[in-house]
Amino acid sequence: MLIPDPKDPELRRRRFRPIPVRMLVPNVITLLAICAGLTAIRLSIEGRMELAVAAIVFAAVLDGVDGRIARMIKGQSKFGAELDSLADFVNFGVAPGLMLYFWQLQELNNGGWIAAMVFAIAGGLRLARFNASIDDPNKPAFAANYFTGVPAPAGAILAMLPFYLAFLGVSKPPATLTAAYTLLIGFLMVSRLPVFSGKTVKMRVPPEMVLPVFVSVVFFVALLIGYPWHILSIGSVLYLLSLPWGWKSYRDHERNAAAALQPAATAEAAAPSSSAAPFSPAPGDSEEERPARLN
C-alpha cells in the first residue's frame, strides 16, 4: 500500500481546504453560549446571582437560535452537533447545579452537593440519550413532535425557579425543599415522559397576521426585559403544568396509531390461511419425500 507523501501539494490542499463562513456562524453562536454559561458560574461564585441567572437565560436563547440558523443557512455539521451537546452540558447541567449549590444547597453540606451533582449528571445523560436516539428507525412518525424527558435548556430554566421567586421577594424555601426540587427536575430530564416540542409546527404566518405577530413578539420581549422574574416564574409554572397534557397527547397518538395498524395486522394474519391450501402437500406425501430445497 502506498503511503501518501505529506509534502504533496494536492494532499495539503485537500487537508486545508477553505471552510465556508456559513459553517462557522452556528459554531460561533454556540461558543458564545458556552462563554455565557462559564460566566454564570463565575458570577454565582461572586454572589451576583441575578446576573448569573440572566447569563443562563441568554445561553438558552442562543441555544434555541444556533440550530435554526444552521438549518436556515445550511451550515449543519457533525462538529457543530458535538459542540452543541458539550455546550448544553456546561450551560444547562453544570452551571445551574453549581449556582444552586453556591446559593443555598451548600447549607446541606454533602447532601446539597449530591443534589447539585445528580442534576448535572442528569443533564449529561439526557443529552447523551438524545444524541443516541436521533437516527432511531423504530420511532413512529408522530414522535418527532415530542421530546423524551424535559430538554436540557428547559430543565435549567425550571431548576432556577427558586431564584426567580427569591428575586420577587419571596422568602427562601428550606434548603431541603430546594434540594428535593432540584432532584425532581433532574428526574424529569432523564425520565421517559413525552414532552411536546413543537418542532413540526408550521412556522409560516398568514399575510394578515404578520403585523400582529410582530407586535406580540415586541410586547413579549418588552415584558421579559421589564419584568424578567415575573415572566420566568409564570412560564416555569405553566411549563410544569403542561407536562401532563404532553403525556396525554402522546398516548392519544399512540392509541390512534395502534388502531390504524390493527386492520392491516388482521388482514396479514388472515392471508396465509387462505393461501395455504394450494401449497399444502398431498396426504400421501411424507416430509422426507419432498425436495430438499422446500424443507
Side-chain angles (χ1 to χ4, degrees):
M1 184 178 67
L2 296 177
I3 300 177
D5 184 5
K7 297 182 179 180
D8 184 5
E10 184 64 27
L11 179 63
R12 290 179 62 85
R13 278 196 295 271
R14 288 200 304 268
R15 183 184 302 171
F16 300 106
R17 64 181 182 274
I19 299 176
V21 175
R22 60 182 173 82
M23 304 293 290
L24 300 178
V25 172
N27 296 329
V28 171
I29 297 175
T30 304
L31 290 175
L32 289 176
I34 295 178
C35 293
L38 295 175
T39 303
I41 296 175
R42 176 194 170 182
L43 292 171
S44 65
I45 295 174
E46 297 174 353
R48 296 187 283 176
M49 288 300 175
E50 292 193 15
L51 292 176
V53 173
I56 295 298
V57 174
F58 179 63
V61 173
L62 293 179
D63 179 74
V65 166
D66 61 356
R68 287 170 173 78
I69 290 180
R71 290 188 290 271
M72 188 183 304
I73 65 177
K74 297 182 179 179
Q76 305 100 313
S77 66
K78 184 176 178 59
F79 176 85
E82 297 297 332
L83 181 63
D84 186 69
S85 294
L86 293 174
D88 288 353
F89 176 60
V90 173
N91 298 337
F92 311 125
V94 176
L98 290 176
M99 290 165 59
L100 287 165
Y101 178 77
F102 293 133
W103 182 63
Q104 188 184 33
L105 294 182
Q106 59 183 345
E107 298 175 8
L108 301 176
N109 298 322
N110 290 336
W113 176 247
I114 290 172
M117 188 168 53
V118 167
F119 176 83
I121 291 173
L125 293 175
R126 168 68 178 78
L127 292 165
R129 183 179 64 188
F130 175 78
N131 292 339
S133 62
I134 289 178
D135 299 324
D136 185 6
N138 300 320
K139 186 183 296 186
F142 65 85
N145 207 30
Y146 296 87
F147 291 119
T148 303
V150 173
I157 298 297
L158 293 175
M160 294 189 298
L161 179 59
F163 287 117
Y164 314 146
L165 298 178
F167 298 155
L168 291 175
V170 179
S171 59
K172 259 187 184 183
T176 306
L177 182 59
T178 303
Y181 177 74
T182 303
L183 292 174
L184 172 64
I185 300 302
F187 170 75
L188 289 176
M189 287 196 293
V190 298
S191 69
R192 304 292 299 179
L193 180 70
V195 178
F196 185 73
S197 68
K199 285 186 174 181
T200 59
V201 175
K202 294 182 179 180
M203 300 301 292
R204 294 184 179 274
V205 180
E208 65 275 8
M209 293 299 296
V210 171
L211 291 181
V213 167
F214 280 149
V215 173
S216 301
V217 171
V218 171
F219 180 69
F220 175 77
V221 172
L223 282 178
L224 186 59
I225 294 175
Y227 305 95
W229 314 130
H230 297 79
I231 298 301
L232 289 172
S233 299
I234 295 172
S236 299
V237 172
L238 291 178
Y239 191 93
L240 288 172
L241 293 177
S242 71
L243 294 180
W245 174 77
W247 176 83
K248 181 181 182 302
S249 175
Y250 187 89
R251 294 304 176 200
D252 291 342
H253 279 99
E254 265 191 337
R255 283 193 290 268
N256 294 337
L261 290 175
Q262 190 172 3
T266 305
E268 289 181 3
S273 60
S274 61
S275 59
F279 297 99
S280 58
D285 293 344
S286 65
E287 189 71 21
E288 291 76 15
E289 293 173 345
R290 291 156 63 188
R293 62 188 180 90
L294 295 181
N295 291 338

